[in-house]
């Protein structure tokens, strides 16, 4: 494993945590790519002058985060890095590409439905107006990461299923001449229903991140309402907080 791993024995930070942080950084920065093997704990402990329980604790903390997996007959293997999504007006597809996650999409629903009261209010249309409904399963490295449900005003753009599986929704909107300007967004969490658990390969009742967003173009028109769920082991949101003077 060609990594420069070091521990500072004079630091108050526990040795296992120092090692875990360095390994996690290597995964996030791509030095350790999905599928990479760490080697066995004995070799790593001898190389760093650490005890085997210390190395085992560091590795277990990353297994618990979903970054590593122990495979019988193979060893400890990198699974993926967690996508840390900034709170800005970007698409999950673009964020996954930026993180080197090789996104893929399965379109499960692409249809026209009458707008419910909630959807109508979000898109500023009359209740019962026909709107486009798209449901997609977003994957990274072949593993489900998020289930995305979007409603758009009917006639806004051609929602071709093949194109939706080949690229991101926001890219299609921009290609159609729609200038995305701003959004209102809320983030939450809840337990997975049976159907959601099956889609995301999580146990029923497992915690899921939720995100709801209404997106507006440069004329102030609502062009999309998204209701998305994410696996928290694979995904997180990042905030930058500023002190008001």
């Amino acid at each position: 494993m060609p990594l420069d791993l070091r521990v500072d024995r004079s630091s108050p930070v526990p040795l296992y945590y120092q090692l875990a942080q360095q390994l996690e950084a290597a995964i996030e920065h791509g030095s350790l790519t999905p599928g990479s093997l760490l080697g066995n704990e004995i070799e790593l402990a001898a190389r760093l002058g650490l005890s085997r329980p210390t190395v085992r604790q560091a590795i277990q903390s990353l297994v618990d985060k979903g970054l590593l997996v122990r495979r019988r007959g193979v060893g400890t293997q990198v699974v993926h890095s967690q996508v840390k999504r900034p709170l800005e007006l970007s698409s999950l597809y673009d964020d996954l590409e930026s993180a080197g996650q090789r996104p893929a999409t399965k379109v499960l629903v692409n249809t026209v439905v009458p707008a419910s009261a909630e959807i109508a209010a979000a898109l500023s249309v009359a209740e019962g107006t026909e709107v486009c409904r798209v449901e997609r399963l977003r994957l990274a490295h072949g593993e489900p990461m998020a289930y995305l449900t979007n409603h758009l005003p009917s006639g806004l753009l051609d929602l071709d299923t093949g194109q939706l599986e080949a690229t991101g929704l926001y890219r299609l909107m921009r290609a159609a001449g729609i200038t995305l300007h701003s959004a209102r967004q809320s983030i939450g969490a809840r337990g997975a229903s049976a159907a959601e658990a099956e889609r995301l390969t999580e146990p029923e009742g497992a915690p899921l991140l939720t995100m709801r967003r209404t997106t507006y173009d440069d004329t102030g028109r609502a062009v999309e309402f998204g209701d998305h769920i994410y696996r928290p082991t694979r995904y997180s949101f990042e905030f930058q907080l500023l002190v008001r003077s």
Side-chain angles (χ1 to χ4, degrees):
M1 187 173 57
L3 295 174
D4 183 20
L5 300 173
R6 303 170 185 268
V7 293
D8 181 0
R9 298 180 185 279
S10 65
S11 170
V13 178
L15 296 177
Y16 89 89
Y17 189 77
Q18 292 184 45
L19 176 57
Q21 289 290 92
Q22 291 178 70
L23 291 172
E24 184 172 352
I27 293 170
E28 288 188 355
H29 298 151
S31 300
L32 284 173
T33 56
S36 299
L37 292 173
L38 288 188
N40 64 52
E41 295 171 0
I42 297 176
E43 292 173 352
L44 193 53
R47 176 182 164 191
L48 295 174
L50 298 173
S51 68
R52 188 176 178 186
T54 296
V55 173
R56 184 183 301 118
Q57 188 177 5
I59 290 175
Q60 186 59 48
S61 69
L62 299 186
V63 170
D64 294 341
K65 284 187 173 184
L67 301 180
L68 299 175
V69 65
R70 289 188 171 100
R71 302 190 188 279
R72 187 181 299 276
V74 176
T76 303
Q77 195 170 25
V78 177
V79 181
H80 48 66
S81 60
Q82 186 184 58
V83 173
K84 296 182 178 180
R85 186 174 188 179
L87 283 184
E88 57 187 39
L89 189 50
S90 62
S91 73
L92 176 57
Y93 190 94
D94 292 338
D95 292 335
L96 288 172
E97 272 200 338
S98 298
Q101 294 281 328
R102 296 200 307 270
T105 306
K106 292 182 181 178
V107 175
L108 303 182
V109 174
N110 185 4
T111 189
V112 174
V113 298
S116 66
E118 180 183 34
I119 302 303
L123 296 179
S124 299
V125 299
E127 185 176 353
T129 299
E130 286 193 341
V131 295
C132 298
R133 179 183 177 93
V134 177
E135 297 181 31
R136 296 166 294 159
L137 184 65
R138 183 61 48 76
L139 305 98
H141 297 296
E143 288 190 32
M145 171 171 284
Y147 194 84
L148 316 174
T149 301
N150 297 84
H151 290 86
L152 295 86
S154 182
L156 183 70
L157 75 161
D158 179 22
L159 291 172
D160 177 76
T161 295
Q163 289 183 319
L164 285 167
E165 292 191 336
T167 189
L169 176 61
Y170 281 6
R171 288 188 185 181
L172 292 178
M173 295 173 77
R174 293 187 183 101
I178 299 166
T179 302
L180 304 177
H181 179 266
S182 61
R184 296 183 64 183
Q185 178 170 286
S186 62
I187 297 169
R190 58 176 171 77
S193 68
E196 291 167 344
E198 183 178 1
R199 290 167 185 155
L200 295 175
T201 64
E202 292 280 353
E204 184 175 354
L208 298 176
L209 286 171
T210 66
M211 187 271 280
R212 309 185 91 192
R213 173 190 284 179
T214 303
T215 306
Y216 303 89
D217 68 6
D218 56 349
T219 70
R221 173 183 56 166
V223 293
E224 175 253 345
F225 174 69
D227 191 355
H228 304 164
I229 54 175
Y230 303 87
R231 298 174 67 187
T233 56
R234 300 292 313 273
Y235 196 83
S236 66
F237 293 97
E238 284 196 334
F239 299 76
Q240 182 179 11
L241 305 179
L242 302 175
V243 176
R244 286 187 175 179
S245 57

